[in-house]
Amino acid sequence: MEDKRIRVMIVDDHAVVRSGLSAFLMAFPELEFVGEASDGAQALAIIPRAKPDVILMDLMMPVMDGAAATKAIRDRYPNIQVIALTSFKEQELVQGALQAGAIGYLLKDVSADDLANAIRAAHAGKPTLAPEAAQVLILSTRKTDQVGGDLTEREREVLALLVEGLNNNEIADKLVVSRSTVKFHVSSILTKLGVTSRTEAVSVALKNKLVK
């Protein structure tokens, strides 16, 4: 008989969270815990062995954060679904995770049943958003009429540093984030501004007064 269980992997930099989530999974017979990682880079190394169907992904992690990891996973393994599971509901995090390819965005205070339902939905290709995350997206759509209106706060910070002439490494050091995170933000900025180079982005930013 074919095993119909959903293979779930947990990526979080807190061991207590990973332990709690793995214990939760054991309460649902159709969910199978197949692996864990403490950051995005470690997750990428483990995936070929763990072969997860769904990944519960924290967003704020060292080495490689959740958004960068989600994008890398979705690029390499399009059949694996990622649910962002975090304590934060800021607009930039919600949009960053969804733009990276996450199918769901849940807060860590979600109930066990709701999380199990989200995992089942993700496996079926259906998105699940925490009400707080949905509210953030609704508010953000009201700001998209002007050029750069859909930039997140973090993207505006990165854009301001681009205007100052900083490179990715310098921006990463200034904002205390990984290089891959900066690269992700710069790519998103170029897309949202409809340009193909950093120089064009700076020009558009200055012309439209997008930075202070």
Side-chain angles (χ1 to χ4, degrees), residues 88-102:
F88 305 94
K89 54 190 176 189
E90 282 76 11
Q91 176 188 331
E92 66 185 74
L93 289 174
V94 177
Q95 289 182 320
L98 298 181
Q99 286 166 2

Side-chain angles (χ1 to χ4, degrees), residues 144-157:
T144 58
D145 294 338
Q146 65 194 76
V147 174
D150 54 347
L151 292 173
T152 66
E153 287 303 313
R154 176 61 93 183
E155 286 167 355
R156 287 179 183 275
E157 285 183 69

Side-chain angles (χ1 to χ4, degrees), residues 39-104:
D39 62 66
Q42 194 178 85
L44 286 167
I46 292 172
I47 283 173
R49 184 173 71 249
K51 295 182 173 60
D53 297 312
V54 177
I55 296 177
L56 300 179
M57 178 76 71
D58 187 22
L59 293 180
M60 308 293 277
M61 297 181 292
V63 186
M64 178 187 271
D65 66 31
T70 297
K71 187 173 190 312
I73 289 167
R74 294 290 295 159
D75 285 347
R76 297 185 203 180
Y77 309 100
N79 291 329
I80 297 177
Q81 298 291 1
V82 178
I83 297 174
L85 184 61
T86 178
S87 304
F88 305 94
K89 54 190 176 189
E90 282 76 11
Q91 176 188 331
E92 66 185 74
L93 289 174
V94 177
Q95 289 182 320
L98 298 181
Q99 286 166 2
I103 196 170

Side-chain angles (χ1 to χ4, degrees), residues 160-178:
L161 296 175
L162 287 178
V163 170
E164 289 180 26
L166 274 60
N167 62 33
N168 283 10
N169 287 349
E170 291 167 335
I171 293 172
D173 291 340
K174 185 111 175 173
L175 298 180
V176 196
V177 296
S178 69

